[in-house]
Amino acid sequence: METMTLKAHMIAGPDGCIADPETGMRRPPVFLRAFDADAGSVSARLVVSAWGLAECEINGTKVGGDVLTPGWTVYGKRLPHWTYDVSDLIRAGRNVMTFWMGDGWYRGKIGFGGGKQDCYGSRLGLFAQLEIAGRDGDTRVIASNADDGLWRAANGPILCSDLYEGETYDARMALPQIEGEAGASVPPDSEEEASGLAVGKIASRWEPVEELPFDPSVLFPAQQATAVRCIGEHDPQSITRLPDGRWLVDFGQNCTQRVVLRIPAVPAGHAITLQHVEVVNPDGTPATRPLRRASQRDRYIASGRESAGEPTWWEPRFTMHGFRYAVIDGWPDGSDLTGADLHARVYSSARRRTGWFSCSNGMLNRLHENARWSMLSNFVSIPTDCPQRDERFGWTGDIAVFAPSAEYLYDVADFLDSWLRDAAIETDIWGTVPYYVPYPYDGWGKPSAVALWGDAVTMVPWALYQATGDAEALRRHIPLARRWMDEVAGLLSEDGVWDARPDTWCGQLGDWLDPTAPPDDAARAMTEKNLVATAFAAHSATLVAAMLRAAGEDTADGGATGADAARYEALAGHIRAGFRARFLRPGGRMTSDTQCAYALAIALDLFDGDPSRDRLRAEAGTRLAELVRERGFVVGTGFAGTPYVLDALADTGHADEAFSLLLSDRCPSWLYQVRMGATTTWERWDSMLPNGEVNPGDMTSFNHYAFGSVADWMHRAIGGLAATRAGWREVRIAPRIAAAVAHGLTRAETSHITPYGKVSVSWSVADGGREAARVAGCGEGDGADRPRPAADLSVAVPEGVTAVLGMDALDERGIALHAGIRLNAGEHRLRVLADR
């Protein structure tokens, strides 16, 4: 078929009835269109979009594998439409299309502080168009409209459906069978059937639809990368009976999923309820307090006919839950709940995996898996902060720090590209980069420029470019990055320091959730907020300059972009100088004597431009290492400092301290979470206290990926693989083997699928790394005769990628290879002596 011309209209049905007075949730409509098809039809495709969420069935079979369609965007400006090949679902003769609807983000109650309904509108709408091509070349178009009388709507068995509260399905309200022409009113089959309904006799009927005013120019073809699909299933790991008679099911993994339940033989009107939680309290009861307003509760009301014939399996359609444990209430007395009665289906928009890591330390492997699972859980249509409580927003600061890890692990370039387009729209609407995107209502008031969070519009595009080498995509986001940096430049004091206080409840968010932050104030950190803000201002100015230079490399206006780049480079230099003058004391100490302050100064190269750069950098590294040792090798950083602290240590000669910090399992640390049984990354270092109780703060999540940004360091420093040119055209092979071995590791491997193919690195040492050797002709100079661990190193390089060796080695023939040598495409097996 040729490109489809969209002729459909947005239509609405009866959806104003309040189905749940406590929550205010309304009953969504179901749309129906019956049509005849000729035996000669050769192909058919369906376009669907909606105000709200929509799922289509053709002749009882679900169309596509997506859920929560069309996804979440700034609906008034960008509304995705999805196109499906439905050729195999169309049969000769009578066909029926049924469109189920849900509130979703469009009109459901979303957000914290009680949330808000109708953020985008109060009426659910369907936009649908089917094209059927015949053998004679003719194409038949069936488009949603309120004019031809053939599109009908009715209330269905979904009484209410909400992303946070859950879904209630009343099987007694199952839609009547469609007989005769489309739109025929079909009451219950008999008075006896009607009287069996708890609500009394009903006359369910299909009503004419109504057209809603709609601007089709906001429609765009959806990017497959944003589709939410099932990526796997979990079976129960344990099922226990609680003292109150309910059943507690442990699925073994915290993530974004939904329970699929076999409905037992129960009387009509009997309700079975599923409550979803991430963790349990020390007494074994479900911990619901972290959910805040979000109840995460689904309910099935039986028709009384479920046991007849094949088993009835039920999964909610238009909700989503973040959980490991499900509590089942209403299971019939005298019947045990077993693993054969339920399983969970896992959902995510991250589907094509591109990165792997493993090592000889099982706790580190679990830490890496936790970061990956938090990513899978939160990449659902947009990159969210958490998948369980009454929030689930696209917080900009979280993805700013996690983007490099995300890009390594999965192909998410188009996914984040779509989100950045929404970020640009919201920035136009609000005048600055909002705290989260989309920004459906002013939950924190009118947005004000906040460091790191706003810097997502420079950091995320740069991470995408480094991962893909796509200069065109980079150019698409440069205007937004420049707009942000120009705004920040206007907020700086004369000396280049960001002193201006944002108009938020806490001012700058600073090193959000550092370990000293009290449960009720995540922004009360050890490090000065204007120090953090100034550091990221310098970083963003540097990135904007780099973007302009990268974008100008293959364009005719390279000179213009070069001049603009020089201006941002000068701005970055001015901010760095102001940072040093304001926050660096004589003798090398910083005004905030914290892990975060030194980590940012080192990793973001804030000493660059000073004649004493190398000395200042070394002094900062020494003090950072001292602070880490003084704290007993536990973390002292929050969202801002954590992504940089290990790099700052290792790059200034303190790899031992970096590994000691990474491998600590005392609270606060990464491995403390693992020791406490975490299967995802926590929002707080102490989301669960050592006694097993949940942190008393009202902001506690067990599934946030921000602190999982450590995965990026694990790939580069332990695995030894880092991209040094955009698009992975060049990589550096430099695992820190000696420091790793000194801390008990004996092997590691990592790999990534680049635009050119898979590149991989693996290393191992014999005898626990105690073997000492010296490679003739390698490592001359100071310390060359010091015994060092000998390791076997394997490197696989695809065509189109050049690998640069970051250490001395021997090849298979015993020929010395010095650090800096280039390895061409192919398999390389080397023997290396590792430096710390």
Side-chain angles (χ1 to χ4, degrees):
M1 291 184 179
E2 298 178 353
T3 301
M4 185 182 293
T5 300
L6 296 179
K7 303 177 180 178
H9 298 268
M10 189 71 73
I11 57 175
D15 64 347
C17 175
I18 299 294
D20 188 334
E22 182 179 342
T23 63
M25 290 191 292
R26 286 151 288 184
R27 195 170 176 182
V30 178
F31 295 94
L32 178 137
R33 174 66 158 90
F35 62 94
D36 293 324
D38 297 333
S41 300
V42 294
S43 64
R45 59 180 174 175
L46 175 68
V47 169
V48 178
S49 191
W51 284 347
L53 303 177
E55 278 190 7
C56 178
E57 293 176 353
I58 295 181
N59 300 321
T61 300
K62 184 179 183 299
V63 173
D66 310 329
V67 300
L68 307 186
T69 304
W72 193 6
T73 59
V74 184
Y75 295 119
K77 302 291 185 179
R78 294 179 73 235
L79 182 63
H81 66 74
W82 294 83
T83 303
Y84 302 97
D85 184 341
V86 295
S87 304
D88 293 341
L89 301 181
I90 306 298
R91 62 194 181 200
R94 175 55 53 96
N95 293 264
V96 176
M97 288 191 296
T98 307
F99 296 88
W100 297 80
M101 303 293 293
D103 287 2
W105 301 279
Y106 187 81
R107 78 167 189 185
K109 183 180 287 187
I110 58 177
F112 45 81
K116 183 180 179 182
Q117 287 180 300
D118 301 342
C119 288
Y120 297 98
S122 61
R123 299 291 303 278
L124 298 181
L126 172 70
F127 183 97
Q129 182 166 315
L130 175 69
E131 287 193 359
I132 304 174
R135 297 188 186 280
D136 57 4
D138 290 341
T139 299
R140 182 183 177 193
V141 178
I142 301 173
S144 56
N145 69 90
D147 301 325
D148 63 14
L150 300 178
W151 288 82
R152 295 291 172 126
N155 285 318
I158 297 178
L159 300 187
C160 50
S161 185
D162 183 272
L163 291 167
Y164 297 173
E165 310 296 349
E167 186 165 296
T168 297
Y169 182 93
D170 191 339
R172 300 169 300 175
M173 304 290 184
L175 293 169
Q177 294 295 314
I178 304 304
E179 299 176 357
E181 294 298 317
S185 297
V186 184
D189 293 339
S190 66
E191 180 137 346
E192 178 181 356
E193 178 181 348
S195 65
L197 301 175
V199 294
K201 185 175 181 178
I202 64 168
S204 179
R205 63 190 180 87
W206 294 95
E207 302 176 357
V209 300
E210 173 188 351
E211 183 175 334
L212 297 175
F214 173 65
D215 177 7
S217 68
V218 303
L219 289 166
F220 70 96
Q223 293 175 292
Q224 288 297 317
T226 65
V228 183
R229 292 177 181 155
C230 180
I231 61 169
E233 295 187 350
H234 287 142
D235 292 323
Q237 301 301 298
S238 68
I239 301 177
T240 56
R241 190 78 178 265
L242 295 174
D244 60 7
R246 295 179 298 168
W247 294 89
L248 177 68
V249 184
D250 180 2
F251 287 98
Q253 176 64 55
N254 189 21
C255 62
T256 295
Q257 50 192 340
R258 298 192 301 212
V259 171
V260 183
L261 183 69
R262 182 187 65 81
I263 305 302
V266 289
H270 182 90
I272 298 176
T273 302
L274 297 82
Q275 168 78 65
H276 309 79
V277 297
E278 295 184 288
V279 296
V280 294
N281 295 313
D283 63 359
T285 58
T288 58
R289 183 173 56 80
L291 301 178
R292 301 191 300 213
R293 178 189 57 79
S295 62
Q296 287 209 129
R297 185 180 292 112
D298 297 329
R299 186 170 60 140
Y300 183 96
I301 303 172
S303 67
R305 299 186 298 271
E306 283 81 6
S307 61
E310 292 294 320
T312 298
W313 291 91
W314 177 68
E315 176 186 0
R317 288 178 185 261
F318 298 116
T319 190
M320 195 61 70
H321 305 303
F323 68 98
R324 172 176 172 172
Y325 300 91
V327 181
I328 313 299
D329 191 13
W331 196 253
D333 293 337
S335 176
D336 287 342
L337 181 71
T338 72
D341 295 317
L342 74 172
H343 59 276
R345 303 187 77 205
V346 183
Y347 291 94
S348 182
S349 294
R351 298 186 302 276
R352 178 176 173 261
R353 191 167 181 183
T354 57
W356 294 263
F357 171 87
S358 69
C359 69
S360 57
N361 186 307
M363 291 186 75
L364 286 181
N365 292 339
R366 183 68 252 184
L367 170 65
H368 189 270
E369 278 296 280
N370 289 359
R372 186 176 75 88
W373 273 107
S374 281
M375 174 186 172
L376 291 173
S377 303
N378 283 293
F379 275 45
V380 175
S381 185
I382 65 166
T384 60
D385 63 324
C386 61
Q388 77 298 96
R389 70 180 181 220
D390 60 345
E391 199 156 348
R392 313 186 196 186
F393 279 155
W395 284 95
T396 48
D398 299 56
I399 191 58
V401 298
F402 191 75
S405 297
E407 284 288 351
Y408 190 95
L409 292 171
Y410 284 85
D411 178 7
V412 292
D414 288 343
F415 175 87
L416 292 177
D417 178 85
S418 176
W419 179 79
L420 284 167
R421 292 172 189 247
D422 282 324
I425 292 172
E426 294 287 32
T427 300
D428 284 341
I429 293 172
W430 295 100
T432 190
V433 179
Y435 316 122
Y436 43 86
V437 172
Y439 200 72
Y441 72 100
D442 53 351
W444 267 19
K446 184 179 183 298
S448 184
V450 169
L452 178 55
W453 277 253
D455 293 297
V457 300
T458 65
M459 296 167 67
V460 175
W462 187 247
L464 296 188
Y465 176 64
Q466 291 301 302
T468 65
D470 186 347
E472 185 57 38
L474 181 66
R475 279 190 281 272
R476 186 158 54 243
H477 302 302
I478 285 178
L480 175 60
R482 292 185 67 170
R483 175 173 179 164
W484 165 252
M485 196 58 239
D486 291 346
E487 179 186 2
V488 170
L491 297 172
L492 303 177
S493 299
E494 289 187 7
D495 63 354
V497 172
W498 188 347
D499 287 320
R501 187 184 192 277
D503 187 18
T504 66
W505 62 273
C506 61
Q508 290 285 0
L509 303 186
D511 194 22
W512 182 260
L513 279 172
D514 91 353
T516 65
D520 60 348
D521 189 354
R524 196 191 306 173
M526 295 180 285
T527 307
E528 297 163 86
K529 292 182 178 181
N530 57 347
L531 183 156
V532 174
T534 304
F536 281 100
H539 185 49
S540 277
T542 302
L543 291 181
V544 172
M547 290 180 195
L548 288 165
R549 293 202 181 280
E553 286 178 356
D554 57 355
T555 61
D557 64 344
T561 58
D564 287 343
R567 180 167 63 85
Y568 286 104
E569 287 165 348
L571 175 61
H574 175 61
I575 299 171
R576 287 193 294 265
F579 178 93
R580 296 190 300 272
R582 184 81 71 90
F583 304 114
L584 184 63
R585 291 172 173 159
R589 293 289 179 95
M590 301 194 71
T591 54
S592 287
D593 193 32
T594 64
Q595 291 182 20
C596 176
Y598 294 106
L600 293 179
I602 295 166
L604 301 186
D605 212 5
L606 298 176
F607 300 122
D608 188 39
D610 192 290
S612 302
R613 174 188 180 274
D614 293 343
R615 176 181 60 79
L616 294 174
R617 183 179 172 85
E619 290 174 349
T622 298
R623 181 53 184 159
L624 175 58
E626 289 174 351
L627 290 172
V628 169
R629 290 193 295 268
E630 289 171 4
R631 284 182 58 88
F633 299 102
V634 294
V635 174
T637 53
F639 276 32
T642 295
Y644 305 104
V645 65
L646 297 181
D647 272 314
L649 286 166
D651 292 348
T652 54
H654 303 285
D656 281 334
E657 285 81 0
F659 274 89
S660 294
L661 183 61
L662 175 67
L663 291 166
S664 172
D665 67 354
R666 294 173 52 222
C667 184
S669 69
W670 288 281
L671 295 190
Y672 166 74
Q673 301 177 12
V674 175
R675 178 166 64 82
M676 293 298 290
T679 62
T680 42
T681 307
W682 296 350
E683 178 183 26
R684 292 178 177 270
W685 293 110
D686 59 349
S687 285
M688 180 175 286
L689 305 180
N691 64 3
E693 294 180 356
V694 175
N695 187 292
D698 69 350
M699 192 189 77
T700 299
S701 160
F702 293 88
N703 201 344
H704 262 64
Y705 52 59
F707 289 147
S709 58
V710 69
D712 181 48
W713 191 83
M714 295 169 72
H715 302 149
R716 294 182 286 105
I718 303 177
L721 177 60
T724 52
R725 289 185 63 196
W728 293 83
R729 287 172 290 178
E730 181 180 282
V731 299
R732 185 170 186 263
I733 311 298
R736 294 186 178 273
I737 297 174
V741 170
H743 289 80
L745 275 70
T746 58
R747 65 167 182 84
E749 57 185 300
T750 192
S751 59
H752 178 72
I753 299 177
T754 77
Y756 306 95
K758 181 184 284 190
V759 58
S760 63
V761 180
S762 65
W763 61 265
S764 62
V765 293
D767 302 322
R770 291 186 295 273
E771 178 185 358
R774 186 165 53 251
V775 178
C778 290
E780 293 90 345
D782 184 43
D785 294 331
R786 182 183 65 217
R788 293 176 286 165
D792 294 315
L793 179 70
S794 296
V795 181
V797 185
E799 290 286 349
V801 175
T802 298
V804 178
L805 193 62
M807 59 186 66
D808 297 331
L810 288 175
D811 67 10
E812 292 178 297
R813 299 167 296 174
I815 298 175
L817 304 176
H818 295 282
I821 196 169
R822 295 176 177 272
L823 305 176
N824 294 322
E827 303 279 342
H828 303 272
R829 299 187 182 278
L830 309 173
R831 186 72 164 165
V832 301
L833 291 181
D835 286 315
R836 290 175 185 259

